[in-house]
């Protein structure tokens, strides 16, 4: 069974631009969560989608948004990029939402110049 | 507001010895705890979990201990192997939201 895939793996943008990251979960998984990882901050929860609905949202500004499609694939969008948005963005999928293990993709490394 | 904390950013252990990684949390409503391992350029990989109704869970060389009164979680790896060298994250969940610690980098010295 294929794992979680994320595209692109690396991205360089400039301040003020917007970016869209993509995540394809493991086949059959309906929950997709997004995390931001920065040095010293660990993994910060962005949001979770389950069956195309946002179930939960972390403490991030409205510039960060996402969506999930009917095939469970998910996209994350960041508008008006700031230097502080440079981070590794990880996507994780699970069969259901809640108290189950999540399977992570390799991440997208975003650099904002 | 960091609800899950790993106060040791790094740990070095001799091969064959025990590795003990620690994690503290502040929210008594957390009901599920997990440990993940992360190698460079890869996403975290699930290692072991424990429900808040238990105080110990074991899986091969890995054992997780939960002390609810102290709000403390630990991962024991016995015996430690060089392939265990990685960054370890603890996580806690309440409902469908997970909170992660900042990670501890474990180095197992051959």
């Amino acid at each position: 069974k294929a794992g979680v895939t994320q595209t692109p793996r690396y991205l360089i943008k400039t301040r003020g631009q917007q970016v869209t990251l993509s995540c394809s979960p493991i086949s059959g998984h309906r929950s997709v969560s997004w995390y931001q990882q920065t040095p010293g901050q660990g993994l910060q929860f962005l949001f979770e989608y389950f069956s195309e609905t946002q179930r939960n949202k972390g403490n991030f500004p409205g510039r960060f948004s996402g969506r999930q499609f009917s095939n469970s694939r998910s996209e994350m969008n960041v508008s008006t990029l700031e230097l502080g948005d440079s981070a590794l963005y990880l996507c994780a999928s699970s069969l259901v939402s809640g108290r189950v293990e999540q399977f992570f993709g390799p991440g997208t490394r975003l650099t904002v110049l | 507001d960091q609800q899950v904390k790993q106060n040791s950013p790094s740990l070095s252990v001799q091969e064959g010895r025990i590795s003990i990684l620690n994690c503290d949390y502040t929210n008594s409503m957390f009901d599920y705890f997990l440990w993940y391992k992360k190698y460079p350029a890869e996403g975290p990989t699930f290692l072991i979990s424990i429900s808040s109704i238990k105080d110990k869970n074991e899986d091969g060389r890995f054992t997780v201990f939960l002390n609810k009164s102290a709000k403390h979680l630990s991962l024991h790896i016995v015996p430690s192997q060089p392939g265990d060298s990685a960054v370890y994250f603890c996580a806690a969940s309440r409902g469908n939201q997970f909170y992660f610690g900042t990670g501890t980098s474990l180095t197992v010295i051959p």
Side-chain angles (χ1 to χ4, degrees):
Chain A
K1 187 184 270 192
V4 178
T5 57
Q6 291 186 246
T7 56
R9 292 292 310 276
Y10 301 92
L11 207 48
I12 300 175
K13 292 284 188 179
T14 56
R15 277 184 301 175
Q17 287 187 307
Q18 76 164 19
V19 66
T20 299
L21 312 181
S22 180
C23 171
S24 292
I26 291 173
S27 177
H29 285 195
R30 296 167 63 192
S31 170
V32 174
S33 297
W34 288 89
Y35 296 87
Q36 180 195 64
Q37 184 187 5
T38 54
Q41 290 293 315
L43 278 71
Q44 303 287 313
F45 173 76
L46 281 154
F47 27 67
E48 185 217 2
Y49 285 88
F50 181 78
S51 294
E52 302 178 66
T53 302
Q54 187 179 89
R55 295 288 297 272
N56 215 336
K57 191 176 191 306
N59 190 24
F60 278 81
R63 300 185 296 106
F64 291 81
S65 63
R67 58 178 175 167
Q68 187 179 33
F69 302 95
S70 58
N71 61 357
S72 293
R73 189 177 70 85
S74 177
E75 287 182 349
M76 189 191 91
N77 185 76
V78 187
S79 62
T80 320
L81 284 166
E82 300 177 0
L83 295 179
D85 296 334
S86 294
L88 179 68
Y89 289 88
L90 291 159
C91 161
S93 77
S94 57
L95 273 170
V96 295
S97 177
R99 297 170 71 239
V100 293
E101 66 180 89
Q102 295 180 314
F103 295 81
F104 283 83
T108 294
R109 172 73 63 184
L110 171 65
T111 302
V112 182
L113 303 176
Chain B
D1 177 24
Q2 195 74 24
Q3 298 192 47
V4 177
K5 297 178 184 178
Q6 293 176 258
N7 293 317
S8 297
S10 62
L11 174 69
S12 291
V13 171
Q14 287 289 134
E15 180 179 2
R17 300 289 188 115
I18 183 171
S19 294
I20 300 176
L21 296 100
N22 294 304
C23 179
D24 296 299
Y25 61 95
T26 57
N27 192 336
S28 58
M29 299 298 289
F30 288 143
D31 58 2
Y32 189 61
F33 303 87
L34 312 91
W35 284 95
Y36 284 84
K37 179 169 72 172
K38 185 179 186 301
Y39 294 117
E42 295 181 12
T45 303
F46 170 76
L47 204 52
I48 192 169
S49 64
I50 187 167
S51 165
S52 60
I53 63 172
K54 295 186 175 181
D55 54 19
K56 176 182 174 182
N57 188 25
E58 195 171 348
D59 183 2
R61 297 186 298 113
F62 303 92
T63 302
V64 56
F65 294 92
L66 177 62
N67 183 333
K68 289 187 289 295
S69 60
K71 295 191 183 70
H72 180 79
L73 186 71
S74 64
L75 174 69
H76 293 208
I77 306 174
V78 184
S80 301
Q81 300 174 353
D84 296 330
S85 296
V87 177
Y88 290 78
F89 291 96
C90 66
S93 81
R94 176 187 171 199
N96 55 359
Q97 183 163 340
F98 289 84
Y99 298 83
F100 283 78
T102 51
T104 296
S105 178
L106 172 66
T107 301
V108 180
I109 304 164

